[in-house]
Amino acid sequence: MGGATVRRRDDGALELRVNGVFVMDDVETSSEQALARTVIGLGAREVLVGGLGLGYTLRALLASPQVTRVVVAELHAEIVDWMRDGTIPGADLLTDARTHVTVGDVRDVVAAQPPASLDAIVLDVDNGPDFLVHDANAAVYGPAFAEVCASRLRPGGSLCVWTMAPSASLTASLNAALTDVREEAFDVRLQGRAEHYWIVSGTRRDDVAVAD
């Protein structure tokens, strides 16, 4: 897979690109922080985050004393290294005792968690199923992985997925594995343009299978 790059733009913003595609900058981070607020508001204490990025979801989670453990899955080791050495601000996030970072595919990291061990899973690993940075990430948005996520959630636990645009296929995947599926739009300014980003979320059903 193509690697990650980070650069300082002429406007002073720190920008992250993966496989040559814009992923995020440190100017508009409201929807990433909203992922954290959503699950904190639902009472989550133990959370798995798919995608470290520039660390804004992780920082918002750790800002809450309610949160006791955050497992972070990041595909690109260089992003973790840049945060550790200060290239990307956030070394304090990685030294927080509640943070547990694993470099690897989020599907493998989620599958490795014990059944019914998490209060929430938040996924921000690509731009969404219809605007993929890595084609292999299509599986992250499919029904099979939604079922795996549901099995790792405790009763009442939540799966929240960030996407740059609404997607019928993503909503259908969550509906197949979860209940109370909802889509929420967030107004954002992307390099001077008015845009919307989305969070699609759902709750673990009572009858979900929890076997390995």
Side-chain angles (χ1 to χ4, degrees), residues 4-6 14 37 77 88 101 119 125 137 184 196 210:
T5 58
V6 64
L14 191 67
R37 291 197 304 272
I88 295 173
V101 178
D119 298 310
V125 298
N137 281 337
E184 186 174 3
H196 293 87
V210 296

Side-chain angles (χ1 to χ4, degrees), residues 53-209:
L54 297 181
Y56 284 92
T57 299
L58 177 57
R59 184 171 295 282
L61 285 168
L62 295 177
S64 171
Q66 165 186 304
V67 174
T68 60
R69 182 170 69 103
V70 184
V71 178
V72 180
E74 174 52 56
L75 181 64
H76 297 281
E78 59 268 36
I79 292 178
V80 180
D81 291 341
W82 290 332
M83 188 168 285
R84 283 202 178 105
D85 70 17
T87 302
I88 295 173
D92 60 308
L93 304 178
L94 302 185
T95 58
D96 191 299
R98 295 171 291 171
T99 302
H100 305 271
V101 178
T102 298
V103 174
D105 191 301
V106 67
R107 291 170 292 171
D108 297 331
V109 177
V110 170
Q113 305 305 305
S117 63
L118 297 164
D119 298 310
I121 297 172
V122 297
L123 302 178
D124 183 7
V125 298
D126 209 310
N127 284 330
D130 303 318
F131 306 92
L132 291 170
V133 175
H134 291 311
D135 289 343
N137 281 337
V140 171
Y141 304 99
F145 185 56
E147 290 178 2
V148 174
C149 289
S151 74
R152 269 53 184 175
L153 293 172
R154 296 186 174 111
S158 298
L159 170 63
C160 300
V161 185
W162 184 97
T163 177
M164 67 180 296
S167 168
S169 64
L170 173 58
T171 301
S173 292
L174 267 63
N175 271 315
L178 302 157
T179 189
D180 191 26
V181 174
R182 51 208 176 274
E183 302 171 328
E184 186 174 3
F186 293 86
D187 296 327
V188 297
R189 295 289 297 179
L190 184 60
Q191 298 183 40
R193 304 188 310 275
E195 302 282 356
H196 293 87
Y197 288 153
W198 298 76
I199 294 176
V200 184
S201 59
T203 303
R204 201 199 94 159
R205 297 195 308 260
D206 291 338
D207 61 348
V208 68

